[in-house]
Amino acid sequence: MIAGGGQPALLRRINESTVLARLHEAGPLRLGQLSDLTALSRQTIAQVVSSLVEAGLVEYIEADQAGRRSPGRPARLVRLRPEAAHVVGIDIGPHRTLVVVADLSGRIVAEDRGDSSRLRRREEMLAHVRTQVRDTLDRGGVPHETVRAVVAGTPGIVEAEHGVVVKAPDMPDWTSIDLADRLRPLFGCPVVVENDVNLAVLAERWHGHGRDADILVALQWGSRVGAGILVGDRLLRGAHGAAGEVGFLPERQGPPIGTASLGPFERRVGTTAIAELARDTASPDDPGIATLTAARDGDPAALEVLDTIAARFVQGLAPLTLILDPDLVVIGGGVVRAGPPLLEALERHLAGRTLVRPALALSTLGDRAVALGAARLALDGVERQLFKVH
């Protein structure tokens, strides 16, 4: 390959991306190892690494800094600097917001939760999110200029290509907002907006139970119910961004979809329904929490309520599994407080309702799922930018 300062810009970019990709995959490497792995000459490798060092993306370290000890003179290794670039993942919800910041290695370096329950107008929410992101970066000691991508998760139907929230029943003043356009001036880098449950399924693939599943479904089950669907490494969004809106599965009788903030299915199975069935008024801001906790602890009355809700939930879960035939269905959201008794009830009621039984699991990611998925999607974008040539 042509080497030297006069090489064409595209070839130089190809070589830089190739070197960065090998360092990302294999960790710190000697120049000779990089030459072997990339089929580039030693001279070209030295020039490429010099350019990347100047750009702040890689650095030289001694072998023992990477945990590799060898006799004789310590060898110098080239290391990708994880701190050279960061991504921001944001979970924007009607009750709370969560911001996470990750470096190039995927390590979460800063995190912050915020209360959005009293915010009623979009301008209030936007100001809240901007301030929270700024404060999270500052507290984490993350230079704002190192942020290369931002992904925000939000409830509702999202036109992901343009970052527009088409419809958000949970947040009425959020409907038809060009959220990407409103957030982009804060960062000066690419901003992507995605449905929150779609991001939750990405988090399950990254840090949860779904690492080995080809077809993965993540069901977020709280006051609302929605499904994120991953086929291979591709999100199934649907033609209009509305795939997985299982909370709006119709009932035989009831008001038309769209005339109420909750869908017909989630009115029957959500945490509000659990609280009503149990006559649980202990926590109006977090309905059903006492019942779910009692069920986890084996309380007979709470377990009876849980069994009724599980039977109702399976009426939506069974058709979903029959259509998709997933390897794994992960249940997340507020209902996971019920623990193993919930899983047992779902498996019992699902028996005989599907041709093939999918594996079921309860999410271990808690309320971080959406923000983690947002960070993962942002990292995917940065990795494409740095490690591949288009």
Side-chain angles (χ1 to χ4, degrees):
M1 301 188 86
I2 300 173
Q7 70 183 123
L10 176 59
L11 186 55
R12 186 166 58 249
R13 176 76 181 99
I14 291 171
N15 290 343
E16 289 176 351
S17 296
T18 301
V19 168
L20 287 171
R22 297 294 86 76
L23 291 172
H24 181 62
E25 293 165 0
L29 296 169
R30 297 182 179 89
L31 293 181
Q33 292 173 313
L34 276 170
S35 179
D36 293 340
L37 289 171
T38 60
L40 297 171
S41 72
R42 182 71 174 263
Q43 180 186 6
T44 299
I45 287 292
Q47 291 171 341
V48 169
V49 169
S50 177
S51 176
L52 293 173
V53 168
E54 186 176 349
L57 290 170
V58 305
E59 65 182 355
Y60 283 104
I61 61 171
E62 300 298 332
D64 57 1
Q65 288 181 261
R68 305 177 191 177
R69 296 186 178 277
S70 57
R73 183 179 176 182
R76 286 208 306 170
L77 304 177
V78 182
R79 164 187 176 266
L80 180 68
R81 296 181 65 242
E83 66 276 19
H86 295 87
V87 299
V88 175
I90 312 170
D91 177 9
I92 303 173
H95 305 296
R96 60 156 188 82
T97 53
L98 176 61
V99 174
V100 299
V101 181
D103 65 16
L104 270 180
S105 70
R107 184 173 67 94
I108 305 302
V109 298
E111 184 172 338
D112 183 71
R113 285 171 176 77
D115 181 2
S116 57
S117 60
R118 292 184 174 86
L119 306 178
R120 295 290 176 262
R121 309 300 298 173
R122 65 173 60 178
E123 296 305 327
E124 294 176 320
M125 180 68 83
L126 287 166
H128 168 78
V129 169
R130 291 190 191 105
T131 300
Q132 187 179 359
V133 171
R134 255 194 313 262
D135 290 349
T136 306
L137 291 170
D138 290 343
R139 282 198 295 271
V142 178
H144 293 218
E145 61 271 16
T146 65
V147 176
R148 286 185 175 242
V150 175
V151 173
T154 177
I157 298 172
V158 176
E159 185 191 26
E161 183 179 355
H162 299 104
V164 176
V165 182
V166 178
K167 189 175 183 63
D170 251 6
M171 303 165 66
D173 198 40
W174 213 233
T175 294
S176 300
I177 182 175
D178 189 339
L179 186 54
D181 186 64
R182 299 298 299 274
L183 291 175
R184 200 172 289 116
L186 172 64
F187 303 105
C189 69
V191 175
V192 171
V193 177
E194 183 58 86
N195 170 267
D196 53 358
V197 189
N198 283 347
L199 295 175
V201 75
L202 292 178
E204 293 295 343
R205 170 63 60 81
W206 187 29
H207 276 311
H209 294 290
R211 298 179 186 184
D212 300 321
D214 183 40
I215 300 179
L216 175 64
V217 175
L219 280 161
Q220 290 292 98
W221 182 4
S223 59
R224 307 195 70 96
V225 181
I229 304 162
L230 203 56
V231 180
D233 292 323
R234 183 175 180 179
L235 276 171
L236 183 62
R237 295 186 176 91
H240 306 93
E245 292 288 348
V246 293
F248 289 86
L249 287 170
E251 293 294 307
R252 288 194 181 93
Q253 294 181 346
I257 288 177
T259 59
S261 62
L262 290 175
F265 185 63
E266 54 201 6
R267 282 200 302 270
R268 295 191 70 235
V269 302
T271 51
T272 299
I274 293 172
E276 290 172 353
L277 190 62
R279 297 180 182 177
D280 177 359
T281 60
S283 302
D285 294 333
D286 194 0
I289 181 173
T291 301
L292 292 165
T293 304
R296 182 196 62 202
D297 296 337
D299 178 79
L303 286 171
E304 186 176 346
V305 170
L306 193 69
D307 189 72
T308 300
I309 290 293
R312 293 179 184 177
F313 192 80
V314 162
Q315 292 175 17
L317 177 59
L320 187 66
T321 57
L322 283 166
I323 292 168
L324 294 173
D325 186 22
D327 300 278
L328 175 66
V329 176
V330 181
I331 310 292
V335 295
V336 299
R337 294 185 180 103
L342 173 63
L343 211 55
E344 293 164 8
L346 290 173
E347 289 174 339
R348 185 172 64 255
H349 287 289
L350 195 60
R353 290 179 174 268
T354 59
L355 295 173
V356 180
R357 290 282 298 279
L360 301 181
L362 297 182
S363 176
T364 58
L365 301 181
D367 66 355
R368 303 173 77 224
V370 175
L372 287 175
R376 180 63 264 172
L377 188 60
L379 277 170
D380 290 344
V382 171
E383 288 173 5
R384 284 193 299 272
Q385 176 190 1
L386 291 177
F387 308 143
K388 295 181 181 178
V389 177
H390 304 282

